[in-house]
Amino acid sequence: MNLFKVYITPYLKEYIKSIVLAIFFSVLTIATSALLAFTSGYLISRASLRPETILLLYVPIVGVRTFGISRAVFQYIERLTGHNAVLKIVSAMRVKLYEMIEPQALFIHNHFKTGDLLGTLADDIEHLQDVYIRTIFPTISALVILFMSTMTIAVFDWKFTIWILFCLCLIVFIYPIFSLYFLKSRQLNQKMRHTKQYETLTDSLFGLRDWMISRKSEQFIGDFYNAQMKINDINRSIVFWTQSRGFQLQLISGIVMVSIAIWSSNMVQAEEFAPAYIAAFTLVTLPILEGMIQVSHAVDRVSSYVESLKRIDKIQAFAHEKPVKTISIDAASIDHVNIEVNNLQYRYDQQQQAYALQNITLSVKQGEKIALLGKSGAGKSTLIQLLQGTLIPNEGMVTIGGVSPSSFGEHIYDLISVLNQKPYLFATSIENNIRLGNEHASKEEIIEVMQQVGLADYIESLPKRLETQMEETGQRFSGGERQRIALARILLKDTPIVILDEPTIGLDPLTEATLLNTIFTALKNKTVIWITHHLVAMDRMDQVIFLDNGLVTMKGSHHELIKTNKRYRQLFQMDRGGLVH
């Protein structure tokens, strides 16, 4: 319950006026529904007795109209005020969580899987709005109606009140507590499997190409289907209990209704009531019981709320950790930034035996061009993450300019730029997309980098020039043009190190050759680390490094490897589709 005090109670206090107002109108909605049923029952019974004048029915007719209209009005106001407060709370929770994790976004993947984060941001916080709408509001409203109902009956017959109170307590207290106990383990299992599905889905989407290449897509679909079937089984058991519980509660409601009918009949025989009140007291139980039955549905969600809060608390606990002291960088003042990797070893899980990288030793001088090759899973991406400081070595050392990359924190990107396979371009102008590299850049500087990437003449030929809208993901332009615009962004940022993560994949050979020539011309003074799967333009590289199962299996310049390494010659021949002379 401490989690509720931390994450629920503060918002209850902050929005107490709106919440109290919502509960007040919720009670009024149930009360007017009860009064509508009561007045309708009285009107039907009174009309059946053929009163001497229609005027005797006028008041209950007006009452039926009044309560019918007011019920709809009160329900609308209750939904309006309640949902408005809850949406503000959920929005505030999302913003607060984002503001906490954003400063440490660089390191968050060391602690959490993408599925966990996605499940928390998209599911858990969204789920917590039910704490207010489906649990707190209906529970408090039901307790108020329970008190009002028993007090009303007690005015007429306190002995009968004890029996009705017992029946209503079964509905409001006993069944909700038993239901909470019964559903707890099933809901936790359901939530755990949902989170696992998030993880499986995100991991598989990121590795979709590998699934296709390995021809295991059917296996993935089968495993995913089986996992979903288990979730469906849990869902069915929960639905079965919910439906059977609803039937049992309806039986209790029927007992209450029959008891009220018998009691009111006895009161009529004792000349305490007029006969017309039998139907009135009987029908009034329907909306009251309907409002109380909601408590069972409200309380059985508590265990799922707790699990959602635990996940949010785990992420916020990480966000509150004392951040690593970082070093601010003035990239313009750096002339030489050497990369040193000494006896590096890294594995993702300390319990697993296999290392993602083993005994890696590299030395990259400022301005050198390095090609990093290897099949998927060889360790290329892991090495890049270690260079960016998003991962910390288990053993050995990685330094950039003599400093551990993790020490730079988010300032590492003042040293390193990355050109991905599909760089993200926003649905705004060309100028704005390039200016992301340096928001203070002048238009002359933007035009200069456009010239460097070979797009200046093309951009000038467009009607709106730099103000041309790129549309979502830059789809207004071809693949090669998008990569050039992303490259211009990197040049404007002017970092000493540039990582190229297969920027030419998916391009035709002519476009690829032209783009590579542009890249290496524009980055001639930069340190370039080029991740690739094939051996085009290897003669431009100062070092060619092959990774296989976390080990460096080949290392040297293109010309050295061609002369001394048979495997490299074979790979180069296969990649070029011809013979090596």
Side-chain angles (χ1 to χ4, degrees), residues 227-277:
Q228 188 61 47
M229 287 299 100
K230 291 180 180 178
I231 293 176
N232 292 342
D233 290 339
I234 298 172
N235 290 341
R236 277 192 289 270
S237 67
I238 293 175
V239 170
F240 176 78
W241 162 247
T242 302
Q243 291 176 344
S244 61
R245 180 190 61 193
F247 175 72
Q248 295 164 29
L249 289 172
Q250 291 297 333
L251 284 179
I252 297 174
S253 299
I255 293 172
V256 172
M257 191 172 181
V258 171
S259 299
I260 290 289
I262 295 172
W263 170 76
S264 57
S265 298
N266 292 334
M267 294 294 284
V268 169
Q269 291 177 3
E271 297 183 352
E272 296 288 337
F273 290 160
Y277 285 102

Side-chain angles (χ1 to χ4, degrees), residues 165-180:
L165 182 61
F166 170 76
C167 293
L168 296 182
C169 284
L170 284 177
I171 297 174
V172 176
F173 297 108
I174 304 303
Y175 262 85
I177 293 173
F178 179 77
S179 182
L180 178 62

Side-chain angles (χ1 to χ4, degrees), residues 442-513:
S442 64
K443 183 157 289 189
E444 289 73 20
E445 290 174 316
I446 293 175
I447 294 173
E448 181 182 349
V449 295
M450 293 300 295
Q451 291 173 339
Q452 289 180 269
V453 300
L455 276 181
D457 292 339
Y458 173 68
I459 298 301
E460 278 296 311
S461 69
L462 299 175
K464 294 186 178 181
R465 299 179 175 83
L466 285 173
E467 295 303 317
T468 300
Q469 296 296 306
M470 298 202 64
E471 301 182 12
E472 189 172 356
T473 70
Q475 62 184 350
R476 162 71 173 76
F477 296 90
S478 68
E481 290 164 350
R482 290 197 293 269
Q483 291 289 26
R484 288 171 183 268
I485 291 171
L487 179 60
R489 181 193 294 171
I490 288 175
L491 293 177
L492 196 64
K493 189 171 180 62
D494 195 25
T495 59
I497 302 171
V498 177
I499 295 173
L500 305 175
D501 187 0
E502 298 194 81
T504 62
I505 193 169
L507 301 180
D508 63 84
L510 180 60
T511 303
E512 179 184 42

Side-chain angles (χ1 to χ4, degrees), residues 64-350:
V64 168
R65 292 178 177 176
T66 301
F67 295 133
I69 295 172
S70 59
R71 180 186 62 174
V73 172
F74 291 149
Q75 186 177 44
Y76 176 78
I77 297 175
E78 179 261 325
R79 297 286 174 85
L80 183 64
T81 55
H83 282 72
N84 181 55
V86 169
L87 290 176
K88 286 181 179 179
I89 291 171
V90 172
S91 176
M93 290 181 72
R94 279 205 180 96
V95 171
K96 183 178 179 181
L97 184 61
Y98 176 80
E99 289 176 345
M100 284 182 176
I101 65 176
E102 189 273 335
Q104 300 203 49
L106 188 63
F107 309 102
I108 199 165
H109 286 289
N110 295 347
H111 297 76
F112 303 100
K113 294 183 178 180
T114 302
D116 289 331
L117 294 173
L118 181 61
T120 299
L121 293 171
D123 191 20
D124 288 330
I125 291 181
E126 185 75 21
H127 183 55
L128 289 181
Q129 70 178 347
D130 292 343
V131 173
Y132 306 92
I133 295 175
R134 298 187 178 181
T135 299
I136 294 177
F137 294 172
T139 300
I140 295 177
S141 300
L143 292 175
V144 173
I145 292 297
L146 172 64
F147 175 79
M148 293 172 60
S149 301
T150 53
M151 289 299 101
T152 301
I153 297 176
V155 171
F156 300 101
D157 188 346
W158 66 269
K159 293 181 180 180
F160 180 69
T161 302
I162 296 174
W163 164 247
I164 291 298
L165 182 61
F166 170 76
C167 293
L168 296 182
C169 284
L170 284 177
I171 297 174
V172 176
F173 297 108
I174 304 303
Y175 262 85
I177 293 173
F178 179 77
S179 182
L180 178 62
Y181 173 79
F182 180 83
L183 292 177
K184 182 177 180 180
S185 60
R186 291 166 176 78
Q187 289 176 333
L188 294 183
N189 192 13
Q190 180 192 49
K191 190 65 179 178
M192 180 191 69
R193 291 183 180 276
H194 270 304
T195 300
K196 184 64 178 176
Q197 286 291 76
Y198 269 124
E199 294 175 7
T200 302
L201 183 60
T202 51
D203 289 346
S204 299
L205 285 175
F206 292 150
L208 186 60
R209 183 176 58 183
D210 295 334
W211 278 108
M212 300 298 292
I213 292 173
S214 63
R215 297 184 179 181
K216 292 184 177 180
S217 56
E218 291 185 2
Q219 176 188 337
F220 160 70
I221 294 172
D223 292 343
F224 193 88
Y225 176 80
N226 292 333
Q228 188 61 47
M229 287 299 100
K230 291 180 180 178
I231 293 176
N232 292 342
D233 290 339
I234 298 172
N235 290 341
R236 277 192 289 270
S237 67
I238 293 175
V239 170
F240 176 78
W241 162 247
T242 302
Q243 291 176 344
S244 61
R245 180 190 61 193
F247 175 72
Q248 295 164 29
L249 289 172
Q250 291 297 333
L251 284 179
I252 297 174
S253 299
I255 293 172
V256 172
M257 191 172 181
V258 171
S259 299
I260 290 289
I262 295 172
W263 170 76
S264 57
S265 298
N266 292 334
M267 294 294 284
V268 169
Q269 291 177 3
E271 297 183 352
E272 296 288 337
F273 290 160
Y277 285 102
I278 296 177
F281 274 100
T282 302
L283 292 178
V284 79
T285 59
L286 293 176
I288 292 175
L289 290 170
E290 183 181 350
M292 293 181 182
I293 286 175
Q294 295 181 35
V295 177
S296 290
H297 300 285
V299 175
D300 62 23
R301 302 169 184 268
V302 171
S303 58
S304 61
Y305 299 150
V306 171
E307 290 306 305
S308 293
L309 288 173
K310 284 181 179 178
R311 278 183 288 273
I312 293 173
D313 185 64
K314 186 178 179 181
I315 292 178
Q316 291 203 4
F318 160 76
H320 280 116
E321 288 180 1
K322 187 176 180 180
V324 178
K325 185 177 181 181
T326 59
I327 302 172
S328 181
I329 304 169
D330 181 6
S333 66
I334 298 176
D335 296 323
H336 298 284
V337 180
N338 299 329
I339 299 173
E340 298 291 339
V341 180
N342 296 313
N343 299 317
L344 172 67
Q345 294 202 127
Y346 182 81
R347 58 183 175 186
Y348 288 91
D349 186 349
Q350 294 301 314

